[in-house]
Each structure stands twice: as structure tokens, then as C-alpha cells.
Amino acid sequence: MKFAKSILFLGVILGMALACQRALSDAAHQYIPQKSAVAANSMVVTPHALATRAGLDVLKQGGNAVDATIAVHFAMAVVFPRAGNLGGGGFMVIRLGNGATDALDYREKAPASAHRDMYLDSLGNVIKGLSTDGHLAAGTPGTVAGLIAAHQKYGKLDFKKLLEPAIRLAEEGFPVSGAEADRLNSFQSAFRKFNAAPNPFLKDNWTAGDRLVQKELARTLRLIRDKGLTGFYAGETADEIVAEMHSGGGIVSHEDLKNYQAKWRKPLIGQYKDYKVISMPPSSSGGVALLQLLKMVEPFPLRQWGFQSKEAVHVMAEASRRVYADRSQYLGDSDFFPVPIDSLLNDRYLLKRMADFNASKATSSEAVGAGNFKISMESFETEHTSVVDAYGNAVSVTTTLNSNYGCKVWVDGAGFFLNNEMDDFSVKPGVPNQFGLVGAEANAIQPHKRMLSSMTPTIVEKEGKLFMVLGTPGGSTIITTVFQVFLNVAEFGMDLEKAVNAGRFHHQWLPDLIMTERGAFNPATRQALEGMGHRFQEVERIAVIKAILKLPDGRLHGVGDFRNPDDDARGE
Ligand code: GLY
């Protein structure tokens, strides 16, 4: 009896200690998102307050913008699991305080045994869902290689330090936001379909404040911290990824993981009036398309016409129509296909491309094929973070699993979701992917090739000085959103908060319509555009910008988008 009482007493004490520890860690991981901040020295804008905090802490310890971005990226893999990732990839554009620029491509790759027709049935038809859901949809992940490459070239603090916030958040858990809880609830049946083993995301009803603890992910993060590349691309983690692949018909192999390398590329740089625009080259289409759009609308009096005037929307939509037609034909991984970047960005070509623009009538997309020029042979869930540090270094990085929680496959043992990035290839010429984008030979599947992206991490200079850092998730709408938010500031005179939160529209050649956010246009403008032959489709939201603007007095204004309740901007 006495013994039983002692056991009970011990049990109560242990329970109280655990509750106490949990309350303390919950208190440490509480957060209230902040959408707008102005600061004198540095700024971090991310999709989640706990990730922002991880980045700011690194800056306070003397780290630079690249260090902070790495800490944010790892933290996002924990607190923003629908898009933050270890199992995906991304693009990073860097502008140092001295004006030097760089770009890092850590996009996923097609596994070695991938082939052009792998998503087609015996009749040559696309098998629905095969490139978007389940194990076969995953490409070889690039995120860990990318973050390590970024650190090797630009990191200032010890790499190990940069993983600490993520490890703590995964180990101790954190309260999920309402937005994450909603998202988790809507994907329960997909999680159950593609995951035989139990995992921390399976739960009948998530509500805001529920704690998400990810012990397996904490272990993987520790392996990366202690072993670097081999903590992910070899050893236990690689074994777990490959075992997961074997369990569900996936094809990422040990060889694919061992051979994955991130790639430094020359950023694409273009001029729009007084602004120098620095963005991402292929394997993203983002930079090429953004620079094409800007050049095409540059001759038109946008400022005079005004924000969302029928004239401005018409010319911007018509430029988009032509740019996305070019994208479908000519854009792909430049390591595999001779993407004619110089021709696509040639001033005379872009002027000619708009020669059939009719100021009072929509051109039909059928009539707008991809542009013609002689090719010279020489030549719906992603995430973005914008960071500026006290040394004036800026980083714009977009990362993704592609869809929410990628292919929905959680690597048993290693604790993270894998991407479904294979769907960003053109799985069959002319057949639209999940974003409605069509492609051709340039973006056909080939072993080791990177699938074409629309991610557009961008940095803008004005008169030789840092002006703006921006980017967004949003699949095919990423490019047109970066385009519009920049123009909202540069042409339509908006402050950053207004520019980010203003209503948006999108045209991508096919389907031949202007997508608008519900209620974004005044009815008279829409009617006038319909009279010119434009068709409309309303959607709930278009993209989720995270941006930083250097104010005339030198301070930094950071803004997260109202469209994601968790977006968060903080500075020092
Ligand atoms: N997965 C979306 C993109 O890369 O564009």
C-alpha cells in the first residue's frame, strides 16, 4: 500500500514537472504575427513568426543575411510544414552590401530513372494524379545542399548554430496557428492514403494552439548539423528516404541523393527605367519572364493611366499573355536545353512582340503563339523569405514542396514531407499541369534535369542602392504578382503595405482569361475590359508577397501579406 502510494506520488510529481516544462516551452514558442514593421538596421519577413524570430536572433548574434536566411529556412521546415521543407528545393538571389550579386539554384532534380513518358498510360494519356500525389511525384530534394552551399560561400556564423532554433522547435513542439490547423485538417485523408506508418500530422481534428512535436525531424536536423551534407544525402536519412521510396513505388535512389548538387548561377539583371532588377535565371522561368514583362510595358504611360485603370490592366495582361506563351515554348533547365535567354530579353524582340498589341481589343491567345526568332545554339504552395541585414546585404529566397505538403508522403523515420515537384515538368506537351501551365520539349522530363519553376526571388536597386527585396509563393501567379507589386510602388506611388495588399490579377496565355481576386476590380473597369474582349475568372487569392522596401530616410519597411494570417515582418 505504502509502495503504491509512493509510486502514485512520484507519478504526480513527474506529471507536474512535464506540465511545467511544457508550459515553459509553450511560452517560449508563443507568437503573434506582425504584418508590417519599420526598423533602422535589419529586417526579416517570413511566412511564420517563429521563423522570423529564428532569423532575427541570428542577426543579433552577428550573423549576416545569408546566415539568417538559413536559420529561417530550417525553422520553416518545422513550423510551416506545408511549404517549408527539407524535402523540397528553392532559389536564392543575393545582393551584398557592396553591390555584388549572386544566385543559387537548389531546385529538385528528376531522378536518374525518370523518363519522358513516366506519367503516361499505354495509350499515351496522362495518368491523373501520378505526378502530383504519392511517391512517384517526388524529385531529388535540393534544400539541404542549397543551404550548405550558401553557408560555405557566404556564411559568417558557425553552421551548427543556424540549426539550433529549428531543432528546438521540432524537439519541444510549438502551437500550430489556425491557418496551419485548417490546412492540416483538410489534408488528413491524403496523409492517410500515402502514409502507412503513424506520423505527428495524423489527427482527427487540429485546432489553433495544438502542439506539433516532430521528434524524427529533430533527429534529422541534428544529423545535418553534425554531418553536413552526409547527414541528409547519405547514411540514415538517405536510407530512410530510399526505404520510403521503395514502400510506395517512388524512384529517388541512393545514387540520386549522393549526386545532388546545388548550382551557383549568374543572376539575371535588367533595367526598368531607373531601377535595376536582379532575379533568378533558369531553371526558374521567373527572372526571364519578369524582365520580359517589365520591358514590354516600359513604353506605356502606366503612372498616368493609374492603378487598375482599364488601360493599365489591358497592357499588363497582354504582355503576360505573350510572356507565358514564350515560357511554354522556350523555358526549361538551361543545363539541358539551350534556353534562348538573350533573344527572349532582347529589347528589339520585346518591342516586336508587342507590335500586334491592340490598345482597344484583347488579342486571342490562339493568335499568340510563342514568339519567333532564330535560336542561337551557343548559346499552389511555395514560400518566400526576404532579409536585409545591418551590413546592407539582402537575400530573396523562394522555396517549395510544390503543393501543400508536397506529394503528401512523410519520410518515415526522417520526419519530413517530400515534394511533388515532378509535376512542374511538362509531363506531356500541351497538357496543363496543376497550375494550368503548358510546356514543350524545353521542359520535358529527362534524368537529372531540373523541372521549370515560376519562382521569382527578386532584388531591386535604384540609383545603385538597394531599393526593394520581394518574392512570393503562388505557382504560375508568382511572376505576375512580383511584377504588379513592384509596379504598385514604382509606378502607382503606393507605400509598401498598400502595394502588397492591393487586389491582384493574372493572365498566363492559357487559359485565355484574366484571373482576379474576388472583388479586386471595380465593376466598371471589369465591364470595360470585357467590352474589349477579356474574359474573367474570380479566385479567392493570388499569391502571398513578402517584401522589404528601403525608405528614403534609409530605414527598412518590411511587409507580410494579409493573405497569409501567419506572415510576419520584424526588424531591429
Ligand atoms: N512549384 C512551383 C514553382 O516552382 O513554380
Side-chain angles (χ1 to χ4, degrees):
M1 187 65 182
K2 208 168 160 195
F3 178 71
K5 266 191 178 163
S6 308
I7 292 287
L8 188 66
F9 180 69
L10 268 177
V12 169
I13 295 289
L14 195 64
M16 280 168 63
L18 280 173
C20 208
Q21 189 198 30
R22 187 176 161 152
L24 278 176
S25 101
D26 273 356
H29 299 322
Q30 289 303 334
Y31 53 92
I32 298 174
Q34 171 177 294
K35 289 279 169 281
S36 172
V38 176
N41 299 311
S42 54
M43 184 61 62
V44 181
V45 192
T46 84
H48 198 288
L50 292 174
T52 310
R53 197 187 287 168
L56 264 189
D57 285 350
V58 161
L59 294 179
K60 280 187 208 156
Q61 291 166 45
N64 61 25
V66 173
D67 291 322
T69 301
I70 295 167
V72 165
H73 223 307
F74 280 121
M76 261 168 32
V78 182
V79 299
F80 202 75
R82 62 183 188 260
N85 64 81
L86 298 186
F91 299 97
M92 191 181 294
V93 171
I94 298 171
R95 181 189 180 275
L96 300 179
N98 65 10
T101 59
D102 214 341
L104 180 61
D105 180 342
Y106 51 102
R107 179 71 157 168
E108 299 90 326
K109 283 183 167 190
S113 58
H115 57 94
R116 169 190 291 258
D117 297 335
M118 63 188 279
Y119 299 111
L120 306 186
D121 64 17
S122 56
L123 299 174
N125 297 318
V126 175
I127 304 170
K128 203 166 170 328
L130 207 56
S131 63
T132 50
D133 304 315
H135 298 69
L136 196 59
T140 310
T143 290
V144 175
L147 299 185
I148 290 174
H151 185 262
Q152 281 169 347
K153 194 160 176 184
Y154 292 108
K156 199 166 158 228
L157 293 190
D158 182 6
F159 183 67
K160 289 184 180 359
K161 239 185 171 36
L162 308 181
L163 280 106
E164 289 310 330
I167 293 170
R168 216 168 33 248
L169 287 161
E171 188 69 53
E172 294 173 2
F174 67 97
V176 299
S177 68
E180 193 71 50
D182 288 348
R183 216 59 74 103
L184 286 168
N185 288 333
S186 61
F187 286 96
Q188 285 302 308
S189 65
F191 293 162
R192 284 173 216 278
K193 181 169 174 192
F194 294 107
N195 298 283
N199 76 51
F201 297 89
L202 296 172
K203 180 166 160 164
D204 284 339
N205 188 28
W206 286 92
T207 52
D210 285 354
R211 225 153 99 104
L212 175 59
V213 179
Q214 300 171 80
K215 296 281 182 197
E216 294 89 346
L217 180 57
R219 188 180 131 258
T220 303
L221 288 165
R222 277 196 293 269
L223 284 170
I224 297 167
R225 176 194 65 190
D226 299 338
K227 299 183 174 179
L229 280 176
T230 54
F232 186 86
Y233 292 99
E236 291 159 67
T237 312
D239 289 347
E240 282 154 354
I241 295 172
V242 173
E244 186 60 57
M245 288 285 111
H246 287 164
S247 76
I251 56 173
V252 177
S253 68
H254 277 110
E255 279 304 290
D256 292 319
L257 292 166
K258 196 178 86 190
N259 292 334
Y260 184 88
Q261 283 184 344
K263 196 155 180 179
W264 288 101
R265 300 193 189 270
K266 208 162 148 264
L268 283 182
I269 299 184
Q271 197 72 28
Y272 176 82
K273 299 188 177 173
D274 293 342
Y275 302 93
K276 187 163 130 185
V277 180
I278 305 151
S279 196
M280 195 68 214
S283 55
S284 183
S285 63
V288 170
L290 176 65
L291 297 184
Q292 283 191 303
L293 284 170
L294 289 170
K295 262 297 160 231
M296 281 169 153
V297 302
E298 194 176 35
F300 297 91
L302 293 178
R303 187 168 315 178
Q304 191 189 318
W305 283 339
F307 171 71
Q308 285 192 2
S309 58
K310 72 172 192 308
E311 294 85 355
V313 173
H314 178 53
V315 78
M316 288 162 76
E318 289 300 323
S320 302
R321 185 196 303 282
R322 288 155 178 81
V323 165
Y324 279 79
D326 281 359
R327 180 194 189 278
S328 75
Q329 183 71 24
Y330 295 117
L331 268 294
D333 181 352
S334 51
D335 293 341
F336 284 73
F337 182 86
V339 180
I341 296 177
D342 292 345
S343 304
L344 287 165
L345 294 180
N346 180 281
D347 284 359
R348 263 177 303 145
Y349 168 70
L350 292 170
L351 214 57
K352 217 169 94 201
R353 197 81 176 99
M354 285 298 271
D356 61 351
F357 167 72
N358 182 331
S360 56
K361 192 165 173 288
T363 318
S364 106
S365 283
E366 231 171 89
V368 175
N372 281 320
F373 46 79
K374 211 164 151 265
I375 296 181
S376 134
M377 294 306 281
E378 317 82 74
S379 64
F380 262 175
E381 194 64 52
T382 299
E383 247 340 305
H384 185 83
T385 296
S386 294
V387 179
V388 176
D389 67 21
Y391 316 102
N393 304 308
V395 179
S396 186
V397 59
T398 315
T399 177
T400 189
L401 287 167
N402 200 10
S403 303
N404 280 289
Y405 311 101
C407 65
K408 322 294 184 270
V409 172
W410 182 83
V411 181
D412 188 20
F416 55 85
F417 287 102
L418 286 169
N419 67 84
N420 61 344
E421 220 68 68
M422 292 297 283
D423 188 60
D424 271 346
F425 278 117
S426 169
V427 301
K428 184 177 176 181
V431 174
N433 73 356
Q434 64 167 335
F435 301 115
L437 292 166
V438 289
E441 184 58 32
N443 190 30
I445 302 174
Q446 276 178 262
H448 309 298
K449 187 176 175 180
R450 290 176 158 101
M451 54 296 284
L452 185 61
S453 172
S454 299
M455 292 191 265
T456 315
T458 297
I459 299 176
V460 185
E461 272 180 24
K462 189 176 183 187
E463 287 149 14
K465 296 202 178 79
L466 179 67
F467 178 70
M468 198 172 179
V469 185
L470 77 167
T472 176
S476 57
T477 66
I478 290 174
I479 300 162
T480 45
T481 297
V482 170
F483 173 54
Q484 285 169 69
V485 172
F486 166 69
L487 289 179
N488 285 350
V489 174
E491 290 290 0
F492 301 125
M494 294 184 199
D495 68 37
L496 191 61
E497 217 172 329
K498 226 170 154 198
V500 169
N501 293 329
R504 302 202 255 267
F505 62 95
H506 172 72
H507 197 302
Q508 60 177 46
W509 180 48
L510 296 175
D512 187 352
L513 47 81
I514 298 178
M515 203 188 275
T516 61
E517 291 185 305
R518 211 171 295 291
F521 276 23
N522 87 45
T525 311
R526 178 172 164 163
Q527 225 173 19
L529 287 159
E530 279 169 342
M532 293 162 86
H534 288 288
R535 287 187 306 126
F536 282 82
Q537 180 194 9
E538 285 197 332
V539 295
E540 221 38 67
R541 65 168 214 199
I542 294 178
V544 191
I545 283 274
K546 274 144 275 282
I548 301 172
L549 184 71
K550 188 124 191 188
L551 298 171
D553 65 6
R555 290 179 306 157
L556 298 163
H557 186 190
V559 174
D561 203 313
F562 85 96
R563 293 165 181 84
N564 169 26
D566 295 339
D567 264 20
D568 185 70
R570 264 157 232 272
E572 276 277 300

